[in-house]
Amino acid sequence: MFKFFKNIGPGTLVAAAFIGPGTVTVCTLTGVGFGYTLLWAMVLSIIATVILQEMAARIGIITRLGLADVIKAQIRHKYLKIPAIILVLSAVVIGNAAYEAGNLSGASLGMTGVFGAGFTPFYPLLIGAMAFMLLFIENYKVLERCMIGLVLVMSLSFILAAVLTKPDIGAVLRGAFIPGFSEGSILTVIGLVGTTVVPYNLFLHASLVGERWKSPDDLKAARKDTLVSVILGGLVSMAIIITAAGSGLTDVSNVMDMAKGLEPLYGRFAVYFIGTGLFAAGITSSVTAPLAAAYVANGCFGWNASLKDTRFRVVWMAVIGVGVLFASLGFNPIELILFAQVANGILLPVIALFLWWVVNKAGVLGRYKNTVLQNVISGVIILITILLGIRSIFKVFGW
């Protein structure tokens, strides 16, 4: 068991990143609205995430560069390179600053469920300080171990909450492996996939593998790490759907409403489990979003900076600072978030296509380029990301 946890690496931070308050909320609404019937969408999301993250990790290990650096190196035409860099910076750096308020607010909601509402105004500042300290340590191994611990806490919290509802195992298995659409479910399916297949995770993963592994011989370990971590993250998301479906509620506005609905049946344990899980989900995303923004800025501007570099620090500090400010004031930066959603809607299919292009270039990956089977599977996944990107843009503009 010790050896197993010792070998877990950057994939855990990827799982921590995509299970944020937004994912928890979408999964909660999915379970309340559709029961177990859309669990298959999470299975699809897990497969898509594993495929894309493996390609990003492979690029990072073989090239020893971050994804933003590879984009700059491979797109040689300046009229394509400059718009690509602007798009990446807008979607990841500015976008993550906008989303950080949601991460801190979600973690604060979890703390309110566990500790009460007496200190609610101070929770965003406290959680922001925690995220600051985790990043200021500037030791990748320490950060990785802390995040593994938080992900395990989050996993146990939501899985135990799901067990408390005593779900119908047959219905769960049918929902997970027999695809079907209920009336009005298509947008929810898109939401489930969209909260799991996250553009900034591709940049984060490609950079983090360089902190952990140094040789192509480590590809096997990286693939195992990606597979285990993403599946664990997907199981957590599925556990949230199962908990919501078993709650018997028909109307919730956030995940803590579900916890309160479960309280009469299962006591305060339900509130503690879900509150702790939401706190862990919020704080892990509050760490990974600024970290991803810093890595992207590092690559786009060609800093070649380490975790201890002042420029690297300034970026993640700025993202946390913006998040704390917006969360503390209760201000919803709606225009900034809408801009980030549009940028991410464009970025996801663009980056997916770019990944596909690069992993087929022998001049970049040599014998580690994609096989025919990998191309077929990733091609289907990329088609899905294109549809997701188009739909997210349409959703923002109300089309």
Side-chain angles (χ1 to χ4, degrees), residues 123-140:
Y123 287 152
L125 182 59
L126 176 61
I127 295 161
M130 292 179 185
F132 179 93
M133 290 305 299
L134 282 172
L135 288 171
F136 197 76
I137 292 169
E138 295 167 341
N139 184 311
Y140 173 72

Side-chain angles (χ1 to χ4, degrees), residues 300-358:
C300 287
F301 293 119
W303 293 337
N304 195 27
S306 67
L307 289 172
K308 298 181 180 181
D309 190 281
T310 301
R311 294 164 298 182
F312 195 92
R313 287 178 178 176
V314 167
V315 176
W316 64 253
M317 285 181 185
V319 172
I320 293 176
V322 170
V324 169
L325 179 63
F326 288 162
S328 298
L329 297 177
F331 173 63
N332 183 11
I334 187 66
E335 292 184 0
L336 199 57
I337 290 174
L338 288 176
F339 170 76
Q341 287 177 334
V342 172
N344 274 303
I346 299 171
L347 181 65
L348 179 57
V350 169
I351 293 302
L353 284 168
F354 177 80
L355 280 174
W356 202 24
W357 175 55
V358 171

